[in-house]
């Protein structure tokens, strides 16, 4: 079997696919890429058994069809230093060992591949699955905004993913670790028959890195056990997190007091004040009254403290409340609006942070649990 392919196109695809390959695979064959040549194009697959990504490349010239496996390090290192040029593959898969020769300008590579027979194959989604289509830019933005709030909890694995909740009103994308929560609603995507799936952290991170914002819509097909995401450059299949996701709407309070403050200004103040907080608790205190927003921290053990004032819009009664500084920084970093609204009730109730101006057809909300103040 012979075929010719662009070196830069192949290298780009392989680097994208390599992100899914685990460092410790249960099957040795999963250290390899699966190459399949048929109908004038080449499909390349990478997998860690739970997640599979497949992408296709057009061939400029080909003779014969077949499939073979190549260890990922071998092929990635071989292509790393090559400039853009045609690569001529000559593959002999007659025996158990696969002889591969790559001829390039002024040189050639000879190495051994593996038979494709042992490579695990994935089942295609059945007709009973649910299908939803959404813009790739929206999917990337929502995954990027939600990932930081996912948990790493072995006892409650259901909290370790991003929950997609499709209802008659909107598509809600939710992540929470019990201390902070992100809920993003998109009102352009809805379904009369409600359905939901829980996407694990690894495939979510992979999608964030491999999707292109200017690509076509991503088509997500899912059932109770697995999901398939089709995008411009290929398709990803992954196993979903099993279990009932908590009722996230029930933990979102209706707080009456609203304070509007400059997001970047608050971020800067937190960066200056946080180093003086207790290293173990990272407690940051907010004291808010009409037109004045005070941010302070204190470490009694080392006799350090810091305090800074910001201007704000607030007409409620004075309130003092404590939050974990690192969690606050993560929330502010994952919002993009110039101004934010912090909704508060009392020092024991969760704080709600929303953009002062919501994106069109979207509703973004972030929640953070308070910390006890020792007054």
């Amino acid at each position: 079997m012979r075929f010719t392919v662009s070196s830069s196109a192949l290298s780009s695809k392989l680097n994208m696919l390599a992100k899914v390959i685990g460092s410790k695979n249960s099957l040795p064959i999963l250290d390899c890429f699966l190459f399949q040549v048929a109908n004038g194009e080449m499909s390349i697959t990478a997998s860690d058994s739970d997640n599979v990504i497949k992408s296709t490349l057009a061939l400029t010239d080909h003779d014969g069809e077949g499939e073979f496996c190549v260890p990922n390090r071998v092929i990635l290192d071989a292509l790393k230093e090559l400039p853009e040029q045609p690569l001529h593959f000559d593959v002999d898969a007659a025996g158990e060992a696969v002889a591969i020769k790559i001829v390039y300008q002024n040189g050639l590579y000879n190495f051994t591949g593996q038979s494709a027979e042992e490579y695990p194959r994935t089942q295609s989604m059945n007709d009973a699955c649910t299908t939803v289509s959404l813009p790739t830019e929206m999917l990337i933005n929502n995954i990027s905004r939600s990932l930081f709030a996912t948990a790493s909890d072995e006892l409650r694995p259901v909290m370790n993913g991003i929950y997609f909740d499709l209802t008659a009103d909107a598509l809600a994308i939710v992540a929470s670790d019990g201390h902070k929560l992100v809920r993003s609603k998109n009102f352009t995507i809805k379904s009369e028959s409600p359905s939901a799936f829980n996407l694990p952290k690894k495939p979510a991170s992979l999608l964030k890195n491999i999707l292109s914002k200017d690509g076509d819509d991503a088509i997500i097909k899912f059932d109770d056990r697995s999901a398939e995401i089709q995008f411009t450059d290929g398709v990803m299949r992954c196993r979903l997190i099993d279990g009932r996701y908590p009722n996230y709407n029930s933990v979102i309070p209706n707080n009456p007091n609203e304070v509007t403050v400059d997001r970047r200004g608050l971020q800067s103040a937190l960066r200056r004040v946080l180093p003086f907080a207790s290293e173990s608790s990272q407690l940051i205190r907010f004291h808010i009254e009409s037109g004045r927003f005070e941010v302070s921290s204190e470490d009694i053990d080392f006799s350090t403290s810091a305090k800074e004032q910001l201007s704000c819009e607030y007409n409620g009664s004075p309130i003092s409340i404590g939050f974990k500084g690192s969690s606050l920084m993560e929330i502010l970093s994952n919002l993009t609006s110039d101004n934010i609204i912090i909704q508060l009730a009392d020092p024991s109730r969760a704080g709600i942070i929303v953009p002062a101006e919501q994106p069109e057809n979207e509703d973004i909300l972030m929640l953070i649990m308070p910390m006890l103040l020792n007054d």
Side-chain angles (χ1 to χ4, degrees):
M1 173 175 54
R2 295 182 177 86
F3 58 88
T4 304
V5 66
S6 157
S7 62
S8 58
L10 179 59
S11 181
S12 173
K13 287 277 192 232
L14 293 178
N15 280 301
M16 175 189 85
L17 294 167
K19 292 181 173 72
V20 76
I21 298 176
S23 55
K24 294 179 181 178
N25 286 308
S26 54
L27 299 171
I29 194 70
L30 293 178
D31 289 331
C32 299
F33 293 112
L34 170 64
F35 289 79
Q36 296 169 295
V37 177
N39 302 321
E41 60 183 23
M42 178 168 66
S43 297
I44 311 170
T45 304
S47 172
D48 65 357
S49 77
D50 285 338
N51 309 289
V52 182
I53 304 181
K54 185 175 182 179
S55 194
T56 305
L57 260 179
L59 301 175
T60 52
D61 187 24
H62 63 95
D63 178 18
E65 297 183 348
E67 55 183 26
F68 58 96
C69 292
V70 180
N72 74 89
R73 279 285 124 231
V74 172
I75 190 78
L76 287 172
D77 290 343
L79 298 180
K80 192 184 296 180
E81 300 298 329
L82 286 180
E84 163 55 24
Q85 59 185 287
L87 300 179
H88 306 284
F89 279 71
D90 190 342
V91 181
D92 182 4
E96 282 189 20
V98 179
I100 301 169
K101 181 167 80 171
I102 302 177
V103 179
Y104 61 94
Q105 188 177 3
N106 302 326
L108 63 87
Y109 294 131
N110 270 312
F111 56 93
T112 304
Q114 295 182 35
S115 168
E117 288 181 7
E118 293 179 28
Y119 203 92
R121 310 302 161 115
T122 54
Q123 298 287 327
S124 57
M125 300 296 293
N126 60 41
D127 295 336
C129 67
T130 305
T131 302
V132 58
S133 176
L134 58 161
T136 50
E137 184 174 5
M138 183 212 131
L139 183 58
I140 294 167
N141 290 343
N142 277 281
I143 289 174
S144 302
R145 190 186 298 133
S146 307
L147 268 173
F148 82 95
T150 55
S152 299
D153 190 340
E154 292 181 5
L155 298 176
R156 289 193 302 170
V158 74
M159 305 295 283
N160 298 348
I162 298 177
Y163 185 63
F164 288 71
D165 190 13
L166 186 61
T167 66
D169 300 322
L171 171 66
I173 299 175
V174 185
S176 176
D177 62 1
H179 303 288
K180 51 189 180 288
L181 176 143
V182 177
R183 187 199 67 189
S184 305
K185 283 185 175 180
N186 188 294
F187 298 105
T188 61
I189 300 165
K190 55 187 82 171
S191 171
E192 290 304 320
S193 50
S195 54
F197 66 94
N198 197 348
L199 185 68
K201 198 180 299 188
K202 180 172 178 177
S205 300
L206 287 168
L207 282 173
K208 174 189 165 186
N209 291 324
I210 65 178
L211 288 177
S212 168
K213 284 194 175 185
D214 53 3
D216 296 330
D217 284 5
I219 298 169
I220 303 176
K221 298 180 178 180
F222 62 94
D223 56 24
D224 294 339
R225 300 183 61 188
S226 57
E228 178 182 284
I229 299 98
Q230 299 172 4
F231 49 97
T232 306
D233 290 337
V235 59
M236 183 176 86
R237 294 187 184 93
C238 63
R239 191 172 295 168
L240 298 173
I241 297 174
D242 192 24
R244 187 181 180 86
Y245 202 81
N247 182 356
Y248 56 89
N249 285 314
S250 67
V251 301
I252 300 173
N254 186 16
N255 293 343
N257 300 322
E258 291 193 350
V259 55
T260 304
V261 66
D262 178 70
R263 180 180 66 88
R264 291 187 182 88
L266 180 55
Q267 265 184 303
S268 300
L270 283 172
R271 286 194 192 100
R272 290 187 285 269
V273 169
L274 190 54
F276 296 88
S278 165
E279 200 169 310
S280 58
S281 70
Q282 297 187 334
L283 172 64
I284 296 291
R285 176 196 291 261
F286 287 172
H287 179 74
I288 304 163
E289 52 189 64
S290 181
R292 192 167 73 93
F293 192 117
E294 186 180 278
V295 184
S296 62
S297 64
E298 184 179 27
D299 189 343
I300 297 170
D301 295 337
F302 292 94
S303 300
T304 62
S305 64
K307 185 183 292 185
E308 193 162 321
Q309 288 187 15
L310 301 165
S311 58
C312 67
E313 293 178 25
Y314 182 65
N315 297 317
S317 54
I319 185 171
S320 291
I321 190 168
F323 295 113
K324 187 173 182 178
S326 57
S327 296
L328 264 175
M329 286 297 292
E330 286 180 314
I331 285 176
L332 295 177
S333 299
N334 284 282
L335 290 167
T336 55
S337 60
D338 292 334
N339 294 318
I340 55 167
I341 296 170
I342 305 174
Q343 300 170 353
L344 302 169
D346 60 64
S348 63
R349 198 187 292 185
I352 303 293
I353 302 175
V354 298
E357 289 186 13
Q358 294 280 7
E360 188 178 359
N361 295 316
E362 286 191 279
D363 178 35
I364 298 166
L365 175 149
M366 300 201 181
L367 175 148
I368 181 169
M369 296 302 291
M371 295 180 72
L372 188 66
L373 292 175
N374 297 318
D375 289 325

